[in-house]
Amino acid sequence: MALRQEVAILGAGPAAIATACALRRLGHDVLLIGVSRNTAVEGVSQRTLRLLREHGLAAAADSVGDPGERVGSWAGIDVAGNGEYVVQRAEFDRALLADAAAIGVRICAERVVRYERRGALWRVHTKRNYVDCQVAVDARGRRAQRSPRRGPALIAVCQRLCTPRTGRVFTRLEAIPQGWCWLAADGRGMSWLQITSGREPSLRLGLEEHMRRLVAMAPHVAADLSGAIATGAPIARAATPSLCTQPDQVGVIRAGDASIALDPLSGQGMYEALRSVVAVTGAVRGYLSGSWDPIAKFMAERAAELWQQSSLKAAHHYGQQAQQNPSPFWSEAAARYCAIQPAPPIAGGVSIDWRPVLNGARIELRRVVVTPQSPRGVWQVDAIDLPELLDFLRAARVTNVECAARHFGCPPAATARAMQWLSEHGLLEPAGPAGSTGPHGPSAGRFD
Ligand SMILES: Cc1cc2nc3c(=O)[nH]c(=O)nc-3n(C[C@H](O)[C@H](O)[C@H](O)COP(=O)(O)OP(=O)(O)OC[C@H]3O[C@@H](n4cnc5c(N)ncnc54)[C@H](O)[C@@H]3O)c2cc1C
């Protein structure tokens, strides 16, 4: 194969395929190198399906069946509602590949063995071939990262089962002292049981026995599975949440779980993998046409921010469960998440600084307003450049909305919102009523 490529995408999951498709649509020369071996069942929400369609992954979206009912309880409170779609990953990943092929992404269905720097290029090796590329997007999933930044150690043991064809699609979440059970039923005779726990001593007895012991602690799941017959052997999936902290390699961009792998309890892994595509695509294009440092900084800060936000949410959910059920698993996992504190607010309050931002489909350096709540900086509100607006208002010595709106060629309502944002952050005197169309509350446009 010994090819020379602009971009090589390593992996064959949602992050890899959505990135490959986005870059292909933007006219880039893309080769996807990956094989999918995921045979698990997972659940996705309506917003994940929306993202799939927004990324043009119609076959993948169509491969997902009807929404199911979510049942169960969390910390003693019922969690019914909020439809969840049951996804057979083998079928879904095949549909993703069909989407990629349909828009002209070239696919090399081989396993990546390693990659190495060769002059200004990266050489990606498979068992039989190699490819030289300017940019490598590593989207090989959570196993592609080694990281000291980890949440609680988790392992998910899963079993496919044959159950009666009830026509009822549902998922059930049930906590047990050692972790939690997630059951998905497609109504057509397939059920999937996933038990996530820490490193339980029962794991030494074999996966079947481990599952048998733990499911006995979950009466609702056990009742749903009464009469079910296991099909195939159980599998174990590494499920420890982690943030990749491997040093940046110039021209290697991490996407999806290879950058940040979330706790499966969140049920947001695929959503975040797909959501990262805009930033990853911007990083590839930014690097191909500019310098590396702002790209590396932007991607590292984005991942760190998501890690902190998701850890805070997890600390809350695990904490709720630990209060209800103070077993060592819940208490220790909650404490572990609590220890991942958000970065302290920056000293000195609000300032203007240069930061990498996502501008359309490209990452570039821009002046931003840095606040304690937004240490990565806010660049725009309603598509109005905040530092430029501030420069104009200060130079013109006005706080008149219509005057600023005319100068920027923007609607007065949008200009009023941007000015209100500046005044709320102490950078501007509140706008006078003259000419103001009345702000409708802040809508700070974040970078991603
Ligand atoms: C137990 C468990 C349960 C989960 N449940 C849910 C859920 O219900 N809902 C949800 O949204 N998310 C869930 N997730 C998370 C979800 O699986 C991931 O977040 C999501 O798939 C990330 O997509 P990705 O493309 O980054 O990685 P992956 O989907 O892992 O894709 C990586 C791809 O790279 C391929 N690959 C790996 N190594 C190589 C190599 N050397 N060469 C070539 N190809 C390679 C793999 O085969 C795979 O196709 C769960 C995760 C776990 C562990």
Side-chain angles (χ1 to χ4, degrees), residues 10-16 33-38 41-44 48 84 89 93 110-113 139-144 156 158 182 194 196 237-239 255-258 260-262 264 267-271 273:
L10 324 185
I33 313 170
V35 275
S36 174
R37 298 220 174 90
N38 196 340
V41 173
E42 295 179 355
V44 295
T48 309
E84 187 167 23
R89 280 298 299 261
D93 287 10
E110 288 186 40
R111 216 178 149 63
V112 173
V113 181
R140 291 175 297 158
R142 63 171 65 221
R143 285 175 188 277
C158 313
W182 184 74
Q194 173 187 302
T196 308
R237 301 183 72 192
D257 276 15
I260 170 167
L262 299 181
Q268 298 302 314
M270 274 202 260
Y271 175 77

